[in-house]
Amino acid sequence: MQAEAMEHEGPASKRIVTGYGFWIFLLSDIVMFSCFFAAYAVLLGQIAGGPKGSELFDLRSVAAETAFLLLSSFTCGLAMIAADLRDARWYQLGMAVTCLFGLGFLALEFREFADLVGRGAGPTRSAFLTSFFTLVGCHGAHVSAGILWLLTMMAQVFAKGFRADIMRRLLCFALFWHALDIIWVAIFSVVYLIGSAA
Amino acid sequence: MLGKLDWSAIPIDQPIPLVAAAVVLVAILGVLGWALVKGYMPYLWSEWITSVDHKRIGVMYVLLASVMLLRGGSDAIMMRAQQAIAYQSNGYLPPEHFNQIFSAHGTIMIFFVAMPFVIGLMNLVVPLQLGVRDVAFPTLNSVGFWLTATGALLVNVSLVIGEFARTGWLPFPPLSELTYSPGVGVDYYLWSLLISGVGTLVAGINLVTTVLKLRTRGMTYLRMPMFCWTTLASNLLIIAAFPILTATLTMLMLDRYFGFHFFTNEAGGNMMMFMNLIWAWGHPEVYILVLPAFGIFSEVVSTFSSKSLFGYRSMVLATMAICVISFMVWLHHFFTMGAGPEVNAIFGIASMIIAVPTGVKIYNWLFTMYGGKVRFTTPMLWAIGFMVTFMLGGLTGVLLAVPPADFVLHNSLFLVAHFHNVIIGGVLFGAFAGYTYWFPKAFGFRLHEGLGKAAFWFTLVGFYVTFVPLYAAGLLGMTRRMQHYDVAAWRPWMIVAGIGTILLTVAIVFQVLQLAVSIRHRAQLRDTTGDPWDGRSLEWATSSPPPAFNFAISPDVRGEDAYWDMKGHAKQRLLEPKEPEYRDIEMPRNSPTGFVCAFFAAVMGFALIWHIWWMVALGGIGAFATFVVFAWRDHDEYIIPAAEVARIDRANIEERRKLVSLAGSP
């Protein structure tokens, strides 16, 4: 018992505390997404006489979106390695490329949404489309917020360098960006693959 | 320019809200003017509004909850008065006003009384019990509090400008859809909860990280005080459940604002999905509220029995079991949905099983008292009153968990009586016990015992006189939310319930009086030792009120009941003092971020309710700018020099030494 007591060494370091707290936030965000996933699963068949998923989804465009997002995660990882090595130039380059991939993803998604609305398949057409636009749009909103954050972090490193508090923020940003990938994999599988089959 | 907002939004034809609002406005202006004239504003701003100290934020949470308790309580009085006189008559409240009152009463009591009260106590106490200097994210903590306050503000604004929801405390569609609720009432509900929900989530993340990652040396999981365990369980539930609420309310918001079809009657919307989602949040919410109360009772019962908690490990297990099972019972809120006997049976059984760990806790408290030196102080009275009252609520709960019985009782006053039985008997009694118990820790003086006991007895008796008649009326078939009724058999019960409300009002008066009298006589009630109750956990190891840094030297924990243990060894150690080596302490700097963020959130929320789109943009940009400015800060900490730490700590040790040499209680 005495030996066990000494195992607990007191408060964790700031880096661990920050990362841990942010993990918990991400978990809560995933819970929120799971509600939209559940809504999509419930409303998938509620097309109200409108178009079905198989008539709407263009899987080639979705594949390109997926490629952009996964590549952006890779370059984000590279930027984090550069940050660990305190290499500002490679860090900024990595973040800039990540940003471009992110913007490319958003552009493709925007085109897809505009196309659907143009064909009379907007979110108000049926409960199915409501849940589709909300779920995918919520992910898109997260990507947009992530890009704003990314630009802020580029500016912060530019202005202040790799300070300890900025490194903690970078850790959180990287976690956030990778989590968006995980959610996208779920969207890809549930929304587009299952949705096309239904 | 001003969206849907015009002069018709102000209910000039209705005297009750206007008079109430005028009184509130005069009170607010009076307090502000008094603070201005006395020159307190700079003090309020720098010591409280911008404070990131967990103790101050905890106090502000409890203050917010107390003020909102008065508001929610006035709603309750109005409803009971209406039902006492509305037999074959329209009473004094028009139906649409009555509907707003019961909706506001439920919303306020759950979201702006019970939640801030328990979160406030957790904020105040948990870092002290864990022996640490602050919560994990102090500035976020302040943001969370002020966002909660924003939600409360919006609910109160609805009293004067526009209207509140008439849909009940949970806005069930399709009634809450634009077609059937075209006014701004549901929008007030949605935005105040969406904004304050963010605050609650932030508090949850903060407290879980604090408990899991910041405990002091030697504070292993199985040495944490029970209140820390229930805080952990409750905040894990917040993290898992509040995103569901946010998602659900967002869906309803999208339906109302953009013509989406999540829950509408037409175009394939599914309103039963709302029930499933809202109760998947709503049932855990019950345990989010009551688990911290269980923790408070554990501390109180153990302290005032002068014994360590009986069956500590079984208590931990029971807490975590409740944490898990609470997510598996939500469907009992709509057994009548038509899910079929199999589904109903499974959820019925799960609902009954959750009574088992709760029973374990009750037995543990009883066994803690058994053979102990029980002191019947005010917090202890609340704890004993709770045990009796909560058991009655638990029994009627098991009754409602039987699907066939629920088919008969589910929308009746029996149900209303049941949940008031557990929420008042559990959460509110717990909140009052914790308030009395930790008040000296927060302010350095005790509350008046006699008035506290008077408040307790009036609450206890008032509670039974009010809610036992509701059980009876429910069994006689009276449904909830009736503006008037024609059944003679219900009438006497409604009149008795009305009398009970008078007793409860007297109890509230005693509570207010207790606070006022205690402040007046604070010199006599002063607690110089920091340990007025002969406590057992670490919060009593520091002075009252604790210094900004809580502990001059981080405590080293050697077993359960850390401070009791220290006191046992203290005689020798305190009488032959060896001064510890004091070091500089780094503390987070005050920040107006929370207040400014909440200001913009309030602007944005108000603009969204009234569709004033330019103001929405203004609020959004302001909030983002605040965030960037905060992120750009270079110095977010300040140093308390070792000499200052030593000066504060020496005074504390001196007082304690007097206590030990005088009493030597352990």
Side-chain angles (χ1 to χ4, degrees):
Chain A
M1 202 55 211
Q2 207 60 28
E4 184 198 317
M6 285 303 108
E7 271 170 39
H8 186 72
E9 284 301 333
S13 74
K14 260 192 182 171
R15 185 182 154 82
I16 288 179
V17 170
T18 308
Y20 198 88
F22 199 75
W23 261 115
I24 298 179
F25 163 73
L26 286 177
L27 286 177
S28 76
D29 214 30
I30 286 172
V31 173
M32 189 189 74
F33 266 106
S34 63
C35 292
F36 291 121
F37 275 108
Y40 182 80
V42 168
L43 300 175
L44 184 55
Q46 304 299 323
I47 53 176
K52 291 191 293 189
S54 53
E55 299 160 24
L56 293 174
F57 298 147
D58 173 11
L59 287 182
R60 267 176 310 177
S61 166
V62 177
E65 283 176 74
T66 310
F68 275 179
L69 209 59
L70 293 183
L71 280 172
S72 84
S73 247
F74 178 66
T75 56
C76 174
L78 290 181
M80 291 310 130
I81 293 174
D84 276 339
L85 298 173
R86 304 290 187 271
D87 186 330
R89 214 168 347 143
W90 281 102
Y91 161 81
Q92 297 288 12
L93 185 67
M95 291 289 265
V97 176
T98 308
C99 180
L100 287 180
F101 278 129
L103 287 173
F105 169 86
L106 281 180
L108 282 178
E109 188 158 274
F110 184 77
R111 199 186 65 175
E112 183 194 6
F113 280 8
D115 179 48
L116 287 179
V117 173
R119 288 156 66 186
T124 53
R125 176 63 190 84
S126 67
F128 157 65
L129 282 161
T130 286
S131 64
F132 165 80
F133 271 91
T134 309
L135 173 54
V136 180
C138 185
H139 178 267
H142 274 69
V143 174
S144 311
I147 286 175
L148 270 182
W149 189 2
L150 182 153
L151 293 172
T152 316
M153 289 323 295
M154 285 174 79
Q156 285 220 314
V157 170
F158 180 75
K160 296 171 192 287
F162 296 108
R163 251 172 22 193
D165 57 339
I166 290 177
M167 290 300 286
R168 288 201 295 273
R169 284 174 205 162
L170 281 177
L171 169 77
C172 294
F173 169 75
L175 285 174
F176 182 75
W177 199 256
H178 295 313
L180 292 185
D181 259 15
I182 298 173
I183 291 166
W184 179 258
V185 170
I187 289 182
F188 179 83
S189 322
V190 174
V191 174
Y192 288 106
L193 295 185
I194 297 179
S196 298
Chain B
M1 187 64 186
L2 285 178
K4 291 157 75 175
L5 184 59
D6 56 37
W7 286 111
S8 69
I10 298 179
I12 300 180
D13 51 327
Q14 291 177 39
I16 297 172
L18 270 196
V19 171
V23 170
V24 170
L25 210 63
V26 167
I28 292 176
L29 289 179
V31 171
L32 278 181
W34 176 73
L36 262 177
V37 169
K38 289 268 195 173
Y40 291 153
M41 277 320 231
Y43 166 78
L44 281 179
W45 175 259
S46 61
E47 293 291 318
W48 289 90
I49 293 173
T50 63
S51 176
V52 296
D53 185 332
H54 70 94
K55 302 177 283 294
R56 299 252 159 114
I57 292 174
V59 169
M60 289 194 287
Y61 263 118
V62 172
L63 194 63
L64 173 71
S66 310
V67 172
M68 292 306 281
L69 180 64
L70 297 180
R71 161 81 209 271
S74 332
D75 289 341
I77 293 167
M78 290 171 79
M79 276 188 289
R80 287 281 129 250
Q82 166 76 12
Q83 290 199 331
I85 59 178
Y87 168 66
Q88 288 187 341
S89 107
N90 278 326
Y92 72 106
L93 286 173
E96 77 275 2
H97 192 187
F98 183 74
N99 293 353
Q100 289 182 45
I101 289 176
F102 70 64
S103 307
H105 170 74
T107 310
I108 286 173
M109 285 303 197
I110 295 292
F111 292 99
F112 300 111
V113 177
M115 286 300 282
F117 215 127
V118 294
I119 291 179
L121 290 175
M122 294 191 283
N123 244 309
L124 172 70
V125 176
V126 165
L128 291 168
Q129 286 195 332
L130 294 174
V132 296
R133 302 231 148 95
D134 211 327
V135 289
F137 308 107
T139 313
L140 264 187
N141 204 11
S142 153
V143 174
F145 166 71
W146 285 107
L147 288 180
T148 308
T150 300
L153 177 74
L154 285 178
V155 172
N156 284 316
V157 167
S158 77
L159 197 59
V160 203
I161 308 176
E163 52 166 7
F164 197 66
R166 298 169 200 175
T167 49
W169 77 284
L170 292 177
F172 290 161
L175 177 59
S176 55
E177 293 284 357
L178 205 54
T179 323
Y180 305 102
S181 293
V184 293
V186 177
D187 301 324
Y188 265 112
Y189 176 95
L190 287 175
W191 290 109
S192 44
L193 288 206
L194 282 169
I195 291 170
S196 67
V198 176
T200 307
L201 180 66
V202 164
I205 292 172
N206 220 332
L207 284 162
V208 167
T209 314
T210 307
V211 173
L212 291 182
K213 288 290 159 195
L214 287 189
R215 286 165 291 128
T216 187
R217 248 171 83 82
M219 179 69 85
T220 56
Y221 286 119
L222 286 176
R223 287 173 179 181
M224 290 199 302
M226 208 49 227
F227 186 57
C228 295
W229 267 107
T230 55
T231 296
L232 175 65
S234 161
N235 285 285
L236 285 174
L237 286 176
I238 286 181
I239 288 162
F242 265 76
I244 308 179
L245 178 70
T246 305
T248 313
L249 296 184
T250 305
M251 289 179 203
L252 182 59
M253 184 273 288
L254 289 169
D255 276 6
R256 286 179 61 87
Y257 276 71
F258 302 111
F260 282 26
H261 295 291
F262 279 108
F263 311 123
T264 53
N265 281 331
E266 66 276 8
N270 184 338
M271 68 201 75
M272 281 323 292
M273 188 170 73
F274 182 92
M275 307 300 159
N276 273 293
L277 284 170
I278 203 82
W279 287 115
W281 157 80
H283 200 83
E285 165 72 7
V286 175
Y287 290 92
I288 291 172
L289 294 175
V290 87
L291 279 174
F294 288 171
I296 293 167
F297 293 127
S298 300
E299 303 293 311
V300 166
V301 168
S302 152
T303 297
F304 293 112
S305 305
S306 304
K307 268 176 74 186
S308 53
L309 194 63
F310 182 89
Y312 172 79
R313 287 177 186 226
S314 64
M315 210 70 150
V316 171
L317 198 66
T319 304
M320 296 322 277
I322 291 174
C323 183
V324 174
I325 304 172
S326 69
F327 263 105
M328 303 177 186
V329 302
W330 83 87
L331 196 128
H332 72 211
H333 290 269
F334 38 91
F335 277 145
T336 52
M337 171 172 80
E342 298 86 359
V343 172
N344 282 357
I346 289 169
F347 280 88
I349 290 166
S351 307
M352 290 181 228
I353 283 178
I354 207 162
V356 174
T358 315
V360 168
K361 281 169 174 274
I362 297 271
Y363 280 116
N364 280 341
W365 289 317
L366 289 176
F367 283 127
T368 306
M369 287 164 66
Y370 178 76
K373 278 185 284 180
V374 181
R375 281 172 282 159
F376 292 97
T377 55
T378 313
M380 192 66 181
L381 289 183
W382 286 114
I384 296 169
F386 150 79
M387 282 188 242
V388 178
T389 310
F390 195 79
M391 287 222 302
L392 181 68
L395 291 175
T396 56
V398 173
L399 193 56
L400 284 165
V402 182
D406 185 73
F407 268 70
V408 180
L409 294 169
H410 78 280
N411 206 26
S412 72
L413 279 178
F414 189 89
L415 174 86
V416 175
H418 161 69
F419 69 70
H420 282 86
N421 200 160
V422 284
I423 297 279
I424 295 180
V427 183
L428 201 67
F429 281 22
F432 286 153
Y435 160 76
T436 328
Y437 182 59
W438 283 308
F439 188 91
K441 184 42 66 186
F443 294 104
F445 59 96
R446 273 167 298 156
L447 288 168
H448 191 282
E449 273 291 307
L451 288 170
K453 284 182 180 162
F456 165 75
W457 286 111
F458 270 99
T459 311
L460 190 76
V461 176
F463 167 81
Y464 283 100
V465 179
T466 310
F467 290 101
V468 171
L470 298 196
Y471 277 122
L475 286 171
L476 290 172
M478 183 169 182
T479 53
R480 64 207 287 205
R481 297 166 180 164
M482 296 189 92
Q483 190 260 341
H484 65 274
Y485 53 93
D486 299 326
V487 179
W490 298 342
R491 191 183 186 197
W493 298 113
M494 291 302 104
I495 292 172
V496 176
I499 294 168
T501 318
I502 297 172
L503 294 176
L504 285 172
T505 312
V506 174
I508 296 271
V509 170
F510 272 119
Q511 293 272 10
V512 176
L513 207 62
Q514 182 199 33
L515 185 62
V517 169
S518 307
I519 292 175
R520 227 182 138 72
H521 298 291
R522 59 188 178 280
Q524 290 105 294
L525 293 165
R526 177 89 48 208
D527 158 46
T528 51
T529 63
D531 182 22
W533 313 118
D534 201 6
R536 316 180 66 86
S537 41
L538 281 178
E539 76 265 35
W540 308 110
T542 183
S543 60
S544 306
F549 45 80
N550 292 351
F551 299 94
I553 305 289
S554 287
D556 200 350
V557 177
R558 303 266 164 78
E560 280 172 42
D561 286 336
Y563 184 51
W564 187 261
D565 189 50
M566 284 179 192
K567 279 192 284 192
H569 299 100
K571 263 196 165 165
Q572 308 89 307
R573 215 182 304 156
L574 275 179
L575 293 175
E576 38 180 282
K578 190 172 74 78
E579 175 130 309
E581 238 179 84
Y582 293 108
R583 299 218 177 91
D584 291 355
I585 293 178
E586 247 184 18
M587 290 304 290
R589 200 187 272 281
N590 280 2
S591 161
T593 309
F595 188 75
V596 179
C597 259
F599 171 78
F600 285 118
V603 170
M604 200 162 88
F606 185 79
L608 280 163
I609 289 161
W610 293 100
H611 297 222
I612 311 172
W613 303 118
W614 62 267
M615 211 198 269
V616 174
L618 207 69
I621 292 168
F624 183 71
T626 317
F627 162 72
V628 172
V629 169
F630 169 67
W632 227 262
R633 278 199 314 181
D634 280 327
H635 305 288
D636 49 5
E637 290 184 326
Y638 71 103
I639 305 281
I640 302 174
E644 173 73 2
V645 176
R647 187 184 65 75
I648 293 170
D649 197 46
R650 273 182 204 130
N652 176 28
I653 288 185
E654 195 49 47
E655 291 291 352
R656 241 156 249 270
R657 196 169 293 144
K658 271 188 226 155
L659 173 80
V660 170
S661 55
L662 281 177
S665 66

